[in-house]
Amino acid sequence: MIRRPILPALLLLTGSLVAQTPRGTLVMAVRQEPVAPVPYIGPSTAGNADVADQLFLRLATLGSGARTTGDDALVPELAQRWIRRDARTVDFLLDPRARWHDGVPVSAADVTFAWDLIRTPVLGVDQAPYELIDSVLALDARTVRVRFRRPSAEQVYTAGFLLQPLPRHLIGTLPADSLGSSAFARGPVGNGPFRFVRRVPGSSVELRAVPDFFLGTPGLRRLVFRLIGSTDAQVNALLAGETDVMAEVPVTALDRVAARRDLRMVLTPGSFITYVLFNAKAPGNPDTEHPILAEQRVRRALALALDRSAIAERAFGPGTQTPAAVRSQAWYWVGGGQASGAADTATARRLLAEAGWVDRDGDGIRDRDGSPLELGIIYPVQSSVFAGIAVQLEQAWRRVGVRARLEAIDGAVWIQRRRVGQFDVDIAGAYQDPSPSSLAQSWSCTSAAQPGSSNVGHWCDPEFDRLRTTATTGPDPVAGFRAMFARMASWQPAVVAGAPPGRVAVHTRYENVVLRPSKPWTALWQWRVRPSAMLPRDR
């Protein structure tokens, strides 16, 4: 069944965009403590990123359509505008009103400083997202020239959205290897709509509005990020009124949230996917093909044996999609095919037989050359969702003659097993970046060849890489990305078990609730509290 994508109707209870005076509080839970909420410097965790996005602006941000292709896809933030000079050169002109929270103007030198930091090996920043950039130069105090290695429809996105300036005047003289433990990392000075106030270790981080923020007065006076590690605990805190919003509300809590008159559920195009990954190499031996899963017919048969719609709905509830390739709902602007939800066991059995897997001894399990068709499935024991998916895989594959061994292992061990490729089949989840080009980080031949890369399944298809590379250089990037996804779907390196919508529970006292795909919290400064509905913590 093909489901219509959720459109980003992300502005609720519309009124004037911002309040004249910041008022009200928003309390949000984070799973990882924001110990150093600074781009490129602190640990790459969701907690650090959620706080950093309130403190540090980008040159430009995604528009309401979430598109990453074209010079007009983004809207200004620190850059007032940009000018294309030629096919490989774009000049960004900084807004003269932009200030760091200590009053110093944001300058082109802050942009080039951040670019130098990104390329500093000791910080360990993943270079793949920035591969398109050749150089970043300050032409004057307000003008940054970015040269790119090749023409691409994602040049403005790459430089404008992925590059976040940092204050050179505050940290430019510090050794790079000391930045993560510096006083600046513990108490950042940003340029965004909120300023850092304090962190209570092991508990919370508090931010306050910048009343004279150059893009407009924030509607909220205070943001509080509370450390609450588990999903169940976050649900309990929300229902107890201790927090005001919750992203990724689990399917088990939907009815309880719906029953509350003081909460509403907002659906957005989610960036999360859960997938069943097939290892193309022998477990623990990246130099040898997997004796079973290296064959396309087998992977395709395993996918066809699954009732994807049932798996997706049980795991994530209504509105969950089953895309044919590894594609979240946040990439709705690209489009692309959905896999048939129902199982096709007849075709699955035929493909396995064609590959030489036949039940010769009548025990219900296929075999070939004296070896049974048996696969191990690893997943973290801490995830009840992954455990439920694993049981459904085992049952579905048994019906077509495949024996699956379920291996529920501790999360730390699971991560290590994935890193070294010590598995047949793995159940995992991922938050996808705004651009489909980011698949290069986990699904390209280049990443497959790099030790320790996120391409733990070692999938390598040169034609997929070619389609991905050329998608943004042709006349129709959307068609290029669709061709890339179609190629991935035909080779079946993984099966998407569910691409759920983003479900965000929001307290009803908030107006102008703007949520953006992939980066839902980057517009919190536009939210506000209705004066008549204020709680004690809002005053």
Side-chain angles (χ1 to χ4, degrees):
M1 177 180 180
I2 297 177
R3 295 181 175 90
R4 186 170 300 172
I6 300 171
L7 297 178
L10 307 182
L11 186 62
L12 304 181
L13 300 178
T14 57
S16 61
L17 187 59
V18 294
Q20 294 301 309
T21 301
R23 63 180 72 189
T25 293
L26 186 141
V27 182
M28 176 192 303
V30 290
R31 287 187 173 85
Q32 303 95 11
E33 185 171 9
V35 294
V38 182
Y40 322 122
I41 291 174
S44 181
T45 67
N48 274 334
D50 288 343
V51 175
D53 280 342
Q54 314 310 317
L55 301 172
F56 297 92
L57 296 181
R58 296 166 166 80
L59 295 176
T61 193
L62 298 174
S64 60
R67 180 166 51 92
T68 61
T69 57
D71 289 2
D72 62 343
L74 277 72
V75 295
E77 275 198 340
L78 287 174
Q80 197 171 45
R81 61 193 178 100
W82 42 91
I83 302 170
R84 175 162 295 284
R85 298 303 183 184
D86 57 46
R88 294 178 51 211
T89 309
V90 177
D91 289 348
F92 291 85
L93 280 67
L94 300 181
D95 194 314
R97 302 169 299 168
R99 294 286 188 277
W100 296 103
H101 294 157
D102 62 0
V104 174
V106 176
S107 72
D110 299 320
V111 183
T112 59
F113 171 63
W115 173 241
D116 290 339
L117 277 182
I118 289 170
R119 296 178 298 153
T120 303
V122 71
L123 294 182
V125 178
D126 185 359
Q127 299 298 300
Y130 307 96
E131 181 273 335
L132 185 61
I133 298 177
D134 181 58
S135 63
V136 179
L137 303 172
L139 299 186
D140 55 44
R142 286 186 49 217
T143 308
V144 178
R145 171 161 293 176
V146 182
R147 289 278 295 167
F148 300 91
R149 299 183 188 279
R150 59 182 179 275
S152 171
E154 288 193 324
Q155 289 178 351
V156 170
Y157 161 75
T158 301
F161 187 78
L162 300 183
L163 189 57
Q164 290 179 270
L166 293 174
R168 189 182 72 163
H169 68 286
L170 294 178
I171 57 175
T173 60
L174 297 180
D177 59 0
S178 71
L179 288 172
S181 59
S182 66
F184 180 87
R186 297 191 299 272
V189 176
N191 53 32
F194 295 93
R195 69 175 71 247
F196 185 88
V197 175
R198 63 173 180 154
R199 177 170 76 92
V200 180
S203 176
S204 63
V205 167
E206 181 179 348
L207 310 180
R208 294 283 177 132
V210 177
D212 58 350
F213 178 52
F214 73 100
L215 293 178
T217 304
L220 297 174
R221 179 176 59 90
R222 188 169 69 119
L223 301 181
V224 178
F225 295 83
R226 283 188 54 194
L227 178 61
I228 304 178
S230 76
T231 298
D232 288 344
Q234 289 194 6
V235 170
N236 292 337
L238 177 73
L239 297 177
E242 297 171 3
T243 59
D244 299 308
V245 297
M246 180 179 177
E248 305 158 28
V249 177
V251 65
T252 54
L254 293 179
D255 290 343
R256 284 180 286 166
V257 171
R260 294 289 295 266
R261 298 184 62 182
D262 59 343
L263 297 173
R264 75 168 70 90
M265 188 71 72
V266 184
L267 295 184
T268 71
S271 63
F272 182 75
I273 58 169
T274 290
Y275 56 94
V276 179
L277 175 65
F278 301 133
N279 195 347
K281 299 297 183 179
N285 188 356
D287 297 324
T288 303
E289 287 194 339
H290 196 286
I292 299 172
L293 296 172
E295 188 162 357
Q296 181 184 7
R297 285 180 296 187
V298 173
R299 300 192 302 270
R300 184 65 180 152
L302 293 172
L304 290 171
L306 303 177
D307 185 341
R308 298 198 202 185
S309 292
I311 292 173
E313 186 146 341
R314 286 172 189 163
F316 300 108
T320 302
Q321 296 180 358
T322 55
V326 180
R327 180 181 62 80
S328 69
Q329 292 196 24
W331 291 343
Y332 69 90
W333 58 276
V334 176
Q338 299 288 313
S340 173
D344 184 354
T345 54
T347 302
R349 292 188 181 102
R350 175 178 59 79
L351 289 172
L352 291 173
E354 289 176 359
W357 294 100
V358 179
D359 182 10
R360 292 174 175 83
D361 56 10
D363 67 349
I365 302 300
R366 296 172 183 268
D367 56 85
R368 185 175 69 181
D369 300 329
S371 299
L373 182 44
E374 182 175 323
L375 296 167
I377 304 174
I378 68 168
Y379 58 94
V381 69
Q382 291 88 347
S383 174
S384 59
V385 171
F386 289 2
I389 293 172
V391 170
Q392 293 177 79
L393 296 181
E394 190 274 335
Q395 294 172 348
W397 289 346
R398 180 80 185 206
R399 286 192 286 270
V400 297
V402 181
R403 179 186 292 128
R405 304 185 316 274
L406 305 188
E407 300 181 55
I409 51 183
D410 179 74
V413 178
W414 171 71
I415 291 172
Q416 179 61 22
R417 290 270 301 271
R418 295 184 86 246
R419 183 177 294 122
V420 299
Q422 190 64 47
F423 66 91
D424 296 316
V425 178
D426 170 55
I427 303 175
Y431 290 93
Q432 295 189 315
D433 291 337
S435 169
S437 296
S438 64
L439 289 180
Q441 299 171 45
S442 299
W443 301 95
S444 68
C445 292
T446 300
S447 60
Q450 294 175 346
S453 82
S454 55
N455 189 349
V456 296
H458 301 98
W459 184 56
C460 172
D461 175 29
E463 178 60 13
F464 171 83
D465 286 356
R466 185 192 69 79
L467 291 170
R468 177 190 54 78
T469 301
T470 60
T472 61
T473 59
D476 188 347
V478 168
F481 282 135
R482 286 182 181 175
M484 176 192 76
F485 284 130
R487 178 70 179 186
M488 174 179 272
S490 71
W491 278 85
Q492 204 75 68
V495 182
V496 176
R503 295 190 184 94
V504 183
V506 181
H507 196 279
T508 55
R509 73 186 191 279
Y510 294 105
E511 298 179 312
N512 294 317
V513 175
V514 180
L515 297 166
R516 291 170 174 157
S518 299
K519 283 286 188 178
W521 309 124
T522 53
L524 283 179
W525 69 276
Q526 298 182 29
W527 295 30
R528 69 183 186 188
V529 174
R530 287 183 291 112
S532 61
M534 283 190 174
L535 300 179
R537 64 171 170 262
D538 293 320
R539 296 182 171 87

